[in-house]
Amino acid sequence: EVQLLESGGDLVQPGGSLRLSCAASGFTFKTSGMAWVRQAPGKGLDWVSAINTRGDTYYADSVKGRFTISRDNSKSMLYLVMHSLRAEDTAVYYCVKTGPFYFAYWGQGSLVTVSS
Amino acid sequence: EIVMTQSPATLSVSPGERATLSCRASENISSKLAWYQQKAGQAPRLLIYDASNRATDIPARFSGSGSATEFTLTVSSLQSEDFAVYYCQQYNNWPRTFGQGTRLEIK
């Protein structure tokens, strides 16, 4: 069974930084593309970033230059490092396994709140 | 960026009836379209990929159709557990983009 467990969500001040982690299990992590998708409170889904099996990375324009996605295949872990956080980054962040291009499996999400 | 537009925003349907949800892409995305269901307080779940293929364990009452710019999700006979928000999403181009969602509510 595919399992994705996010952690690291927190309350952070504007301009601050945060690292989200996602522990993956139940599938061969190194052969799967991964992504982060977020959802602001009461809003729709918003793709943030993706990384393929070769380590190529992709970002939404709204986070480019501020967020960095990475993976550690030896630990089956996905990360999202977020800098210069803004109020509009407040959202539940979902770790997603792609399959190979659509979003096949979703974690339960980690809440990031950016507020002073 | 490809803009995905869903209609209607809210759809009221009685249990047992058919529901038809629409999704339009601002440019040709071939069949690179997925549908997701999200219930309150839960993560989204993949229903349909490549416009018409049901994901694992998705009941046959869910079906998808369309190509290029016009797509449809049909739920043939609504069950109580089907009332939720549905999103379409294109994966033909970067950035990946979602529609704004259709809320399917009980009439």
Side-chain angles (χ1 to χ4, degrees):
Chain A
E1 179 191 4
V2 172
Q3 292 195 347
L4 301 165
L5 184 61
E6 302 94 338
S7 60
D10 204 349
L11 170 63
V12 61
Q13 292 190 339
S17 299
L18 204 60
R19 186 180 84 158
L20 299 181
S21 301
C22 172
S25 61
F27 63 100
T28 305
F29 183 77
K30 65 181 180 181
T31 63
S32 182
M34 300 294 295
W36 291 96
V37 176
R38 67 184 179 184
Q39 186 170 36
K43 303 297 184 182
L45 301 172
D46 182 32
W47 171 76
V48 174
S49 183
I51 185 167
N52 64 18
T53 56
R54 296 188 305 271
D56 300 322
T57 58
Y58 305 85
Y59 298 95
D61 284 347
S62 59
V63 306
K64 200 172 294 183
R66 300 189 298 124
F67 290 13
T68 301
I69 190 172
S70 63
R71 62 191 299 159
D72 184 338
N73 291 336
S74 68
K75 297 180 180 178
S76 295
M77 293 290 295
L78 179 72
Y79 303 101
L80 185 69
V81 175
M82 304 180 289
H83 295 298
S84 303
L85 282 161
R86 308 165 180 166
E88 54 265 36
D89 295 319
T90 294
V92 173
Y93 285 72
Y94 293 103
C95 171
V96 181
K97 174 188 179 306
T98 61
F101 303 112
Y102 44 85
F103 301 132
Y105 294 93
W106 299 63
Q108 285 305 301
S110 184
L111 177 61
V112 173
T113 303
V114 184
S115 174
S116 55
Chain B
E1 166 174 322
I2 295 176
V3 177
M4 306 300 293
T5 303
Q6 293 185 240
S7 61
T10 303
L11 183 61
S12 299
V13 182
S14 300
E17 293 190 341
R18 174 189 296 257
T20 302
L21 289 67
S22 297
C23 176
R24 173 175 293 177
S26 61
E27 58 186 83
N28 189 336
I29 59 169
S30 184
S31 295
K32 304 301 185 187
L33 183 104
W35 289 94
Y36 304 89
Q37 177 193 66
Q38 187 177 32
K39 298 179 182 179
Q42 296 185 17
R45 176 176 70 150
L46 175 69
L47 295 177
I48 301 287
Y49 64 94
D50 292 347
S52 61
N53 294 302
R54 273 190 304 278
T56 303
D57 295 332
I58 300 303
R61 64 181 181 273
F62 291 92
S63 63
S65 63
S67 64
T69 62
E70 299 286 341
F71 301 88
T72 300
L73 174 70
T74 301
V75 189
S76 60
S77 178
L78 279 163
Q79 308 296 301
S80 57
E81 61 266 29
D82 300 335
F83 292 96
V85 179
Y86 292 82
Y87 296 93
C88 63
Q89 178 246 331
Q90 66 81 21
Y91 47 93
N92 192 62
N93 284 20
W94 299 100
R96 306 312 196 209
T97 48
F98 290 89
Q100 80 280 18
T102 290
R103 180 177 302 278
L104 184 55
E105 62 177 29
I106 301 174
K107 186 174 183 180

